[in-house]
């Protein structure tokens, strides 16, 4: 019985607060990229068929948080595909940053396709957000949770902003 309880508590812990060790980001060439310990990340999951206004709002909000907090980095994540497709998506993403610094762009290319971030969270609406806090835990915020609510700040649901800020310790 205690083995079942231990397994269930470990599984629940992994599902609710996965460690960064389970979260892998890659270069366009499939090389695993290091996530700096102690650095917090706001990772915008992006694809070209997302809401234009929502992308602008999320970029604005994340950029503001990162400019106010030097220990938080704003990066983008593109779904793994062939290089030409990923380059086309990257090119479209960069158009949102004309006249601004483009964040580092990573690719969801984990060789174990079940562990890819887009597959793990079944991301199908964009933009979405994965946030990593100082202790290395990460949480996923769907497009719906970011932009669905009654009250908004910077175009994002006030309720979700509160959850993100609390998770980051802001």
């Amino acid at each position: 019985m205690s083995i079942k309880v231990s397994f269930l508590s470990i599984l629940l812990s992994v599902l609710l607060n996965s460690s960064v060790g389970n979260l892998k980001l890659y270069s366009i060439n499939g090389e695993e990229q290091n996530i700096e310990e102690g650095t917090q990340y706001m990772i915008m999951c992006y694809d070209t068929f997302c809401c234009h206004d929502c992308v602008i709002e999320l970029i604005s909000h994340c950029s503001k948080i990162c400019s106010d907090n030097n220990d938080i980095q704003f990066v983008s994540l593109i779904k793994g595909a062939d290089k030409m497709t990923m380059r086309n998506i990257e090119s479209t993403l960069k158009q949102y940053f004309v006249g601004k610094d483009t964040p580092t762009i990573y690719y969801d290319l984990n060789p174990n396709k079940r562990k890819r971030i887009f597959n793990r969270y079944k991301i199908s609406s964009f933009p979405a957000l994965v946030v990593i806090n100082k202790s290395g835990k990460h949480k996923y915020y769907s497009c719906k949770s970011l932009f669905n609510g009654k009250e908004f700040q910077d175009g994002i649901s006030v309720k979700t902003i509160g959850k993100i800020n609390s998770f980051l310790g802001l």
Side-chain angles (χ1 to χ4, degrees):
M1 182 73 167
S2 67
I3 294 174
K4 283 184 180 180
V5 171
S6 296
F7 174 75
L8 289 174
S9 61
I10 290 169
L11 180 61
L12 186 60
S13 173
V14 167
L15 291 173
L16 294 177
N17 290 313
S18 301
S19 71
V20 175
N22 295 332
L23 195 74
K24 302 203 184 286
L25 305 175
Y26 293 83
S27 72
I28 198 165
N29 295 320
E31 300 154 342
E32 189 174 332
Q33 302 298 296
N34 293 324
I35 296 176
E36 298 175 33
E37 285 186 35
T39 299
Q40 301 186 103
Y41 290 87
M42 299 187 86
I43 304 170
M44 180 178 71
C45 301
Y46 174 81
D47 204 337
T48 53
F49 55 86
C50 60
C51 171
H52 175 74
D53 292 336
C54 293
V55 172
I56 291 170
E57 295 297 340
L58 187 58
I59 288 171
S60 174
H61 181 75
C62 292
S63 295
K64 182 180 176 191
I65 287 176
C66 294
S67 69
D68 292 344
N69 300 279
N70 293 334
D71 66 334
I72 302 174
Q73 286 190 15
F74 178 45
V75 301
S76 294
L77 182 67
I78 293 173
K79 188 174 186 176
D82 61 271
K83 279 189 183 181
M84 190 165 92
T85 300
M86 291 187 300
R87 287 200 191 282
N88 287 336
I89 295 170
E90 177 183 336
S91 176
T92 304
L93 173 62
K94 286 182 176 180
Q95 291 177 16
Y96 289 100
F97 295 95
V98 173
K100 303 176 196 170
D101 291 335
T102 304
T104 303
I105 298 173
Y106 293 111
Y107 304 86
D108 197 13
L109 293 171
N110 192 324
N112 183 342
K113 291 184 180 184
R114 290 184 310 154
K115 291 189 177 186
R116 290 184 179 181
I117 296 165
F118 283 73
N119 293 338
R120 177 187 293 180
Y121 294 113
K122 297 176 176 73
I123 302 173
S124 61
S125 298
F126 300 92
L129 188 68
V130 176
V131 180
I132 303 173
N133 68 12
K134 285 180 184 172
S135 64
K137 304 290 183 197
H138 68 270
K139 285 195 177 185
Y140 164 70
Y141 298 91
S142 68
C143 182
K144 183 178 179 181
S145 70
L146 290 167
F147 301 104
N148 192 13
K150 294 180 181 176
E151 295 181 53
F152 296 93
Q153 174 186 328
D154 297 331
I156 299 175
S157 166
V158 170
K159 182 177 178 183
T160 302
I161 288 174
K163 290 179 182 179
I164 293 169
N165 289 348
S166 175
F167 186 68
L168 290 172
L170 301 176

